[in-house]
Amino acid sequence: MVDFQDLRAVMELHGSVVNVDIKRDRVTNNNLGYGFVQFETHEQALKAKKALHGVEVSGRKIRTGWAQRNTTLFVGDLDNTIDATVYRTAFSRYGNLVDDETYFKVDKGFGMVKFKTRENAETAK
């Protein structure tokens, strides 16, 4: 797996790195195989993105791309005796929902909740 020091070192060849965040499992603390690097400027990020896509770091080829602003949460293990409107109301306390993209399949035990902002999604998590 690519570690923090190796990733930072290769990224710094292309610009001033502000932050490196390698994502880890909350329970096991294992590296999840992806992370985020923040550069001081967009131009530096663009340079690194172009130069490093497919390059080998710590024995693994890395893929580079822009971070996505995901605002959708998967919700599992739903109690099928509770109406979907109760779940919708509970999640709407954290922020505005995108109604036509938020749904609960209570009979199957899951749902998708899409917030209008990432901040609301992060808070609800």
Side-chain angles (χ1 to χ4, degrees):
M1 285 287 171
V2 176
D3 70 16
F4 175 87
Q5 290 84 6
D6 291 346
L7 184 59
R8 185 175 191 100
V10 75
M11 292 292 171
E12 285 178 335
L13 297 173
H14 301 282
S16 186
V17 173
V18 174
N19 187 42
V20 175
D21 181 17
I22 294 178
K23 295 303 184 182
R24 299 192 168 279
D25 182 275
R26 290 181 185 178
V27 175
T28 66
N29 203 35
N30 289 338
N31 181 324
L32 292 174
Y34 72 97
F36 301 92
V37 178
Q38 181 182 1
F39 286 88
E40 219 169 83
T41 68
H42 177 75
E43 291 75 24
Q44 293 170 349
L46 183 60
K47 180 181 169 190
K49 179 181 176 292
K50 287 180 180 178
L52 296 173
H53 187 76
V55 169
E56 194 170 295
V57 177
S58 301
R60 296 196 56 166
K61 280 189 179 183
I62 63 169
R63 291 180 292 160
T64 60
W66 301 115
Q68 300 297 310
R69 301 231 179 255
N70 189 1
T71 62
T72 305
L73 300 179
F74 170 82
V75 184
D77 296 323
L78 297 179
D79 183 339
N80 65 4
T81 64
I82 298 175
D83 187 74
T85 56
V86 174
Y87 290 115
R88 183 178 292 275
T89 301
F91 281 98
S92 67
R93 286 186 284 176
Y94 296 100
N96 293 325
L97 304 178
V98 178
D99 288 328
D100 57 343
E101 294 184 46
T102 296
Y103 61 89
F104 298 94
K105 296 195 177 215
V106 179
D107 59 322
K108 297 189 181 192
F110 75 93
M112 299 297 281
V113 180
K114 182 166 181 104
F115 288 92
K116 290 191 177 177
T117 69
R118 181 171 179 106
E119 293 77 21
N120 294 148
E122 289 292 331
T123 301
K125 228 164 68 172

